[in-house]
Amino acid sequence: MIEALLKGYDLEKLAVAAIASHTALQILRAAKRYGFRTIAVARPSAAWFYKRFPFVDEVWEVDFSNFRPVAERLAEENAVLIPHGSYVEYVGWRQALEAPVPTFGVRRLIEVEADQFKKMDLLRRAGIPIPKSYKPEEVDGPVIVKLFGAKGGRGYFFAKNREELLEKLKDVEEPHIIQEYIFGVPAYYHFFASPMYGRVELFGMDVRYETNVDGRTFGLVEPTFVVVANFPLVLRESLLPTVQKYGEAFADAVREMLGEEMKGPYSLESIIKDDLSIVVFEFSGRIVAGTNVYMGVGSPYSVLYFDRPMDMGERIAHELKLARDKGRLEDVVS
Ligand code: AMP
């Protein structure tokens, strides 16, 4: 479907589109700098904000509950859609999977991500260390319980031990996963898989600022992890080879599991323990909001690849431009 759509594209008029939220400013600002026409697809309530910025050529106000006509219109406008977390949140993973518009990266990862078991299975296949998963009766220490479809840490809860877990599970009917709780510090790595350069780049990293774990709660409320902001991060250099190894292993596992080359931005989300081992509890198969910390200034790691600072929006635009110029757009979209 997508290859046929691309055949009809006027490459001189290639546009970059993003849903107006999440990382849209970063993506569209960079796309404009690289000479693409830019489209922000907005909820009516957010449209006015995106109209404030001169690098956004068009702001469309749309109804996300019926996304197909929007996708068709994007394709008519020669657009490549850059997917991000809010896109999947607004349109749902089924619509995102079927939308008839070329979508940057590996679209089928959206489906894998929607299922906690498939998601952990992909990481396991990559040989990346992950938290143990338990049946309730196997639990012997602290656990975190994640309801499917939980967002930004909402819909998670903890139990100190098996007794507390069984008590708390009485009220839970939704599908969920019970995971070993890992002690340490969180670190989120940003990667870019480049078909044009044939490599996986470790592009940046961040940590999150989350309500009731980082807030002034004085032990008065249960911990919650609702993300409100992000901070930049650099890691001890001695840890970088391990992070790079896991990033590459992830790309290999995508090839093995989906039969498709990994392409575009993605993230591994980890806890680093006090023995300095890294346990990955989550991935995002598309750009993560933590990349915004480098908007316009570039991440310290980006200079290692291009000898100049670049943010992830620019990295995407750079790849897209190369792919277009080489007649290889189908290698970077799906
Ligand atoms: P998520 O919404 O999946 O990014 O998770 C929200 C937060 O829960 C993360 O920022 C982590 O700090 C924490 N978390 C998730 N899974 C685990 C785990 N298995 N062990 C320890 N912390 C976790």
Side-chain angles (χ1 to χ4, degrees):
M1 169 182 82
I2 295 305
E3 276 185 24
L5 276 178
L6 283 177
K7 285 213 172 71
Y9 266 40
D10 180 348
L11 297 183
E12 295 299 310
K13 293 190 182 153
L14 198 63
V16 168
I19 306 309
S21 184
H22 196 271
T23 38
L25 293 172
Q26 189 197 158
I27 292 166
L28 298 179
R29 172 188 172 274
K32 191 71 196 168
R33 287 168 70 92
Y34 276 74
F36 296 109
R37 207 154 55 82
T38 57
I39 303 169
V41 184
R43 283 178 162 170
S45 60
W48 68 271
F49 178 64
Y50 290 83
K51 289 179 185 162
R52 293 280 190 273
F53 301 98
F55 54 82
V56 183
D57 292 323
E58 291 173 38
V59 180
W60 297 1
E61 295 183 32
V62 310
D63 169 14
F64 285 104
S65 63
N66 182 18
F67 192 67
R68 194 178 177 87
V70 181
E72 286 168 353
R73 193 172 146 209
L74 284 170
E76 279 162 23
E77 295 290 330
N78 304 295
V80 169
L81 178 67
I82 315 296
H84 55 50
S86 299
Y87 171 50
V88 180
E89 193 181 323
Y90 291 1
V91 308
W93 65 267
R94 283 192 184 81
Q95 286 208 95
L97 216 54
E98 289 161 9
V101 57
T103 302
F104 199 75
V106 177
R107 194 198 293 237
R108 281 158 66 210
L109 281 174
I110 293 172
E111 189 178 2
V112 178
E113 269 191 72
D115 180 322
Q116 291 276 11
F117 292 111
K118 283 190 195 160
K119 188 191 268 184
M120 295 322 280
D121 187 45
L122 178 55
L123 293 170
R124 197 176 297 114
R125 281 195 201 205
I128 296 170
I130 56 174
K132 282 190 213 114
S133 289
Y134 298 109
K135 297 193 181 91
E137 58 279 11
E138 296 166 349
V139 167
D140 54 5
V143 290
I144 178 167
V145 180
K146 302 178 177 182
L147 306 187
F148 280 26
K151 282 183 208 95
R154 266 186 238 267
Y156 288 6
F157 63 86
F158 303 95
K160 278 199 213 67
N161 50 40
R162 193 182 318 153
E163 289 69 48
E164 190 180 323
L165 174 71
L166 293 175
E167 189 55 38
K168 287 188 168 174
L169 279 179
K170 279 186 188 153
D171 301 327
V172 176
E173 281 162 11
E174 301 96 314
H176 57 270
I177 189 166
I178 303 167
Q179 244 178 31
E180 167 192 13
Y181 187 80
I182 309 289
F183 291 96
V185 290
Y188 304 84
Y189 317 111
H190 316 152
F191 297 98
F192 189 91
S194 169
M196 294 301 118
Y197 292 89
R199 68 189 183 199
V200 167
E201 298 161 6
L202 171 58
F203 217 68
M205 45 191 84
D206 74 287
V207 278
R208 295 174 182 167
Y209 199 37
E210 295 163 324
T211 47
N212 291 352
V213 280
D214 298 319
R216 298 170 187 187
T217 56
F218 310 109
L220 298 171
V221 286
E222 288 284 314
T224 55
F225 296 92
V226 177
V227 182
V228 289
N230 304 78
F231 298 108
L233 184 76
V234 287
L235 217 57
R236 285 171 72 137
E237 193 161 312
S238 58
L239 288 170
L240 294 182
T242 305
V243 173
Q244 176 75 22
K245 189 171 76 183
Y246 293 169
E248 292 181 11
F250 179 87
D252 292 343
V254 168
R255 187 185 310 113
E256 194 187 302
M257 190 167 167
L258 302 179
E260 201 175 330
E261 281 306 307
M262 187 58 205
K263 50 203 173 195
Y266 59 103
S267 167
L268 295 179
E269 307 174 5
S270 78
I271 304 286
I272 306 181
K273 304 203 304 189
D274 62 3
D275 62 2
L276 293 179
S277 64
I278 299 176
V279 180
V280 174
F281 61 88
E282 173 92 274
F283 74 81
S284 298
R286 35 89 193 155
I287 188 169
V288 285
T291 58
N292 281 340
V293 297
Y294 304 113
M295 177 159 50
V297 291
S299 87
Y301 296 109
S302 64
V303 299
L304 303 175
Y305 301 98
F306 295 98
D307 208 23
R308 69 180 175 89
M310 250 175 157
D311 63 34
M312 193 59 97
E314 287 175 70
R315 184 64 191 86
I316 293 169
H318 178 74
E319 193 82 0
L320 204 53
K321 189 163 182 291
L322 274 182
R324 181 197 57 193
D325 295 349
K326 291 182 175 182
R328 290 182 57 194
L329 265 188
E330 68 281 4
D331 290 344
V332 298
V333 300
S334 57

